Amino acid sequence: YAGTHLPASHPRFANLLSESLGVPVREGAPIDVLNNGDAFLSAMLADIKSARSSINIMVFIWNKGQMSDQIVNELVERSRHGVQVRILIDSFGSFSFTPRKHFKKLEEAGGKVAEFHSLTLAPWAFLKNHVRNHRRAFIIDGNIGYVGGMAIDDHWLGDARTEKEYRDVMFRTTGAMAR
């Protein structure tokens, strides 16, 4: 296959890519494609409710509202049951939101909330404000993972039936890919 251009659908494509890059190919759990907020939120809340050891969330946008309230309430409950809850939000993506006030119950229950790269008005640091964390990753018990385009904001609620309901996708997987 040297010098051959295989389409991604070819059965040998993954192995050829693995050999070219020098990285192993491993079989993994299936990936669930969650279209729009209704599918994501219901799956995410169910997984949060089942968490036994840890919930780690890294997200660019986290704004208060119905979606946030539902997730925070479940995180508080899990934290009270000894689950380690850690959230990292981007200070620019969540600029219109005051995280400490909204996350007070979670922090009182033992959860941890941190901001990535706080904004600064200092002239010597102004040029660094463009360094952001656009990741959206949700890891539960080190075994369930979500990644994709959604964030925590009421615009992601619904099923993209109106212009106010964002159309987006998240991917859910378990096992090695989540770790």
Side-chain angles (χ1 to χ4, degrees), residues 40 44 47-48 50-59 75 83-88 135-148 170-179:
F40 165 64
M44 179 71 173
D47 286 334
I48 289 172
S50 72
R52 298 287 174 247
S53 61
S54 64
I55 300 169
N56 295 292
I57 298 174
M58 183 173 17
V59 68
L75 294 174
V83 173
Q84 180 186 48
V85 176
R86 298 183 302 181
I87 299 172
L88 178 65
R135 293 178 187 97
R136 285 120 167 128
F138 305 79
I139 309 295
I140 298 167
D141 291 337
N143 193 52
I144 300 170
Y146 290 85
V147 66
M170 288 296 276
F171 302 95
R172 181 190 182 275
T173 191
T174 59
M177 285 186 62
R179 285 188 289 282

Side-chain angles (χ1 to χ4, degrees), residues 4-14 16:
T4 306
H5 298 284
L6 296 176
S9 60
H10 191 281
R12 178 109 174 86
F13 179 79
L16 181 64

Side-chain angles (χ1 to χ4, degrees), residues 64-128:
K64 60 185 171 183
Q66 182 182 353
M67 186 180 206
S68 176
D69 290 345
Q70 289 180 54
I71 291 173
V72 169
N73 288 339
E74 290 302 327
L75 294 174
V76 167
E77 187 63 28
R78 297 316 307 144
S79 189
R80 287 184 178 146
H81 283 87
V83 173
Q84 180 186 48
V85 176
R86 298 183 302 181
I87 299 172
L88 178 65
I89 59 174
D90 185 273
S91 61
F92 183 76
S94 300
F95 184 72
S96 64
F97 180 57
T98 308
R100 291 291 176 243
K101 181 180 177 185
H102 189 68
F103 290 115
K104 185 175 180 174
K105 285 192 306 186
L106 177 59
E107 291 179 318
E108 288 171 352
K112 298 196 181 333
V113 180
E115 287 183 70
F116 176 82
H117 206 266
S118 296
L119 296 173
T120 179
L121 298 177
W124 55 86
F126 186 71
L127 293 176
K128 293 181 182 179

Side-chain angles (χ1 to χ4, degrees), residues 35-43 67 150 156-161 165:
N35 284 309
N36 303 319
D38 285 351
F40 165 64
L41 185 59
S42 64
M67 186 180 206
M150 291 188 206
W156 275 279
L157 288 175
D159 196 26
R161 292 176 291 264
E165 296 177 357

